Structure formats: C-alpha cells, structure tokens
Amino acid sequence: MNLPNNLQTNRARVIVLLVAVLVLGAVGTGAVLHAADRTARRDEAQSGGPAVSPGNVSLQVPPNGRQLLFRNMAWGPHRDEVTTVPADHPDGARTASGTQCLRFHAAAGTGICLQAQHGALEDTYRAVVLDDHLRERRSFPAAGIPTRARVSPSGHLAAWTVFVSGDSYAGTDFSTRTSIVDVRDWNLRENLEDFAVIKDGHPYQAHDVNIWGVTFADDDIFYATLATSGRTHLVRGDLAARTLTTLHDNVECPSLSPDGTRIAYKKRVPGLSPDAPWRLYVLDLATGTETATAEQRNIDDQALWSDDGTLLYALPGDYGADLWTVPADGSGAARLVTRAAVAPAYLG
C-alpha cells in the first residue's frame, strides 16, 4: 500500500533525523575518547622528555648552591608543578613539589602561585601566597586569567596580573587587573588602577588605563607597564604615596636588574606583524638609552635577570614553552636553557 505523500515526507524526515542523531553521537563519543586518550597521554611521561620525580622543594636560600625553580611543562604526572633544578645544571633531573601553578615566582622564602580552580561550568582563578615549604599562607580571588607574577627581593610583597577580559597583549581588546599584597600584614592593593597617575609631569585621568607586569625595586618602589590611548609607558610606582609616574614610552612587562640600574622589557617594533610585534630590549634608567638584545624572535614574556648581565625568558616550545637566555648588552646570541619550562625564579 502506498503511503500518502505527506506521510512519506514525515517518514523520511524521521529517518534523516535518526541518522543525524546517530552520526552526532558517534562523533561526540569519538571526541570524548580522543580527549580522554590525550589526557591520559599528558599524564604519562614522554620518551625524550626531562626526568622529573617528586621530592622536597623549598623556597629557602639553598646552602648547596643556587637553584632555578619553574613551572614544569613536560607531559607526565608532574605537569604544571613547581619544580627545581640546580642553576648550573638547568637541563638536569627535576624535583617536583606537587604544587601546581599557572604562573609562579619566589624570593626570600615567599612564593606567589596563580592557580586555576576547575568548575563544572567554568574555571575560576586565585592568587596563593606560599611559605618557604610551598604551603598556602593565604589566597585571594583573581578576577581573570593569570598572566604575570612577581615577589619583591625581600619576600615581603607579592604582585600578580590577570586578564579580566581578553587573553593576549597583542591586540587592543583586553583589560587587566594588577594587585599587590604585603605578606607581613596582608594589606592588599587590589587594583593599581586606583593609584594616582602622573603622566609627563601632570596629573592624568582616563577610563582606559591598564596596569600590568610589576617588578620590584624594594618594599615601596616598583615599576610596571601603564597603557592608555593605545600607547604603553614604563611607570615608577610608589606604594606609600599611591602614585604611578611615567618614565619612558613603549615599554611592556618590565624587569628590573639586580643592581637596580636597568629595565629589561618587550618593545613593539614598527613594521613587525601585529601578531608578533615585540622584541627584547634593555633600558638604562639613568640615561634613557635603549639596547636591543640579540634575540630576534617575538618575546611575549616578562624576562627575568639571572644575573646583572643575562636575561632568562620563555618562548613557545613543543610542550608549551622553553626557557632561553641572552646577554643583556646586545652581544652574543640566544641560547636554549631548558625545555618544557615557564615562569622561572632563582633562589640564592
């Protein structure tokens, strides 16, 4: 018996719908299995990767030589954990702490660890102050994706920057939040945008001010990036006076040298791709002289001074990031320090 045309059409639609459901179900199952397999592989140590084993990691000044700490990026059970290696053997076996951080820095027995807390619907973030045994002393909610972290040389102050909106400094559609806490009394400056800005010698106010990338001189003076009206500026911050004073243009993610005389930073160079606009420079604070380093690749990191003449920084790598070094005076050439590592700090 022939079915009416409308019944045949409805039957065809049902069949098509059932086939579509089955196909989508198969695709979804395949995607879940693929993701599970990838997660499982990430939890297994990969051949050819660095040796990583659990152990005791301390933020105390080491008695047996300088240490380099960083977030371990190698796939395996200790991925994202703070690990340590001897500073003179940075590519050696790593000791993993069990403490996971997206961004990390430490000095004088204090650590700052920016963490993700994975929820059913979305991730949230927090800034955790660690003691010298990497135990949590206090935590603060973070308003967005972690991007920068620093501890003052004394260990008394900790700073962090997060993206409140957007996830890259390369474009213009982003907003940051930078905070500083004094770990002696837990006095929190939650948003440095509340500080008074002195730009070109005059008070300055604007709705588009963003602050990021703190680097400390001492327990009162710090440097950071201030962005407004499409331009970036190096600012000198004063915690007691709650002021930010512009010093130099086109400076991002500053890092103060141990002797306090120079700032390493990423600079936007005209003519480069908007997606890779930065090169690594050093600014002499007394003379204003800029020196380009020998690193010719795009730098999207806050460099760290390993000593008064050498910079350490992250570049993209097979596991997410690798650490590289280059002389600060423009001489020499960039050199790989260790693979699968990011967010370094020196102790000792």
Side-chain angles (χ1 to χ4, degrees), residues 150-227:
R150 277 293 189 270
V151 176
S152 65
S154 67
H156 294 158
L157 302 174
W160 59 92
T161 297
V162 300
F163 285 118
V164 178
S165 65
D167 58 4
S168 172
Y169 294 108
T172 58
D173 187 21
F174 71 88
S175 178
T176 61
R177 176 77 54 81
T178 296
S179 306
I180 296 178
V181 66
D182 190 324
V183 305
R184 294 168 295 183
D185 58 10
W186 303 113
N187 180 12
L188 175 66
R189 286 81 167 183
E190 188 172 4
N191 188 355
L192 295 188
E193 294 171 23
D194 295 335
F195 281 29
V197 175
I198 303 169
K199 184 175 180 290
D200 301 326
H202 304 284
Y204 178 83
Q205 289 184 327
H207 294 295
D208 67 345
V209 167
N210 275 309
I211 311 294
W212 68 83
V214 165
T215 181
F216 290 102
D218 52 37
D219 288 344
D220 187 43
I221 301 302
F222 63 93
Y223 298 88
T225 295
L226 181 148

Side-chain angles (χ1 to χ4, degrees), residues 254-319:
S255 180
L256 184 66
S257 62
D259 63 9
T261 64
R262 289 154 294 156
I263 292 280
Y265 62 102
K266 60 181 196 180
K267 175 181 177 178
R268 290 180 185 263
V269 176
L272 297 181
S273 166
D275 296 324
W278 299 292
R279 294 295 182 267
L280 185 59
Y281 275 71
V282 173
L283 173 70
D284 187 300
L285 289 171
T287 66
T289 302
E290 296 181 323
T291 300
T293 69
E295 175 56 82
Q296 296 300 304
R297 291 166 292 184
N298 184 63
I299 300 295
D300 187 8
D301 192 24
Q302 185 173 20
L304 181 74
W305 292 78
S306 53
D307 54 46
D308 273 326
T310 313
L311 301 172
L312 185 68
Y313 51 93
L315 284 171
D318 292 339
Y319 296 94

Side-chain angles (χ1 to χ4, degrees), residues 21-45:
V21 170
L22 291 173
V23 170
L24 290 173
V27 170
T29 300
V32 170
L33 292 175
H34 175 74
D37 178 67
R38 184 173 180 180
T39 299
R41 287 189 290 111
R42 286 167 63 94
D43 289 339
E44 297 177 0

Side-chain angles (χ1 to χ4, degrees), residues 26-78:
V27 170
T29 300
V32 170
L33 292 175
H34 175 74
D37 178 67
R38 184 173 180 180
T39 299
R41 287 189 290 111
R42 286 167 63 94
D43 289 339
E44 297 177 0
Q46 303 298 299
S47 61
V52 188
S53 58
N56 180 43
V57 176
S58 171
L59 301 185
Q60 295 176 345
V61 175
N64 299 322
R66 201 173 185 219
Q67 293 289 305
L68 175 62
L69 292 87
F70 49 78
R71 172 189 170 193
N72 172 52
M73 299 292 288
W75 285 8
H78 303 292

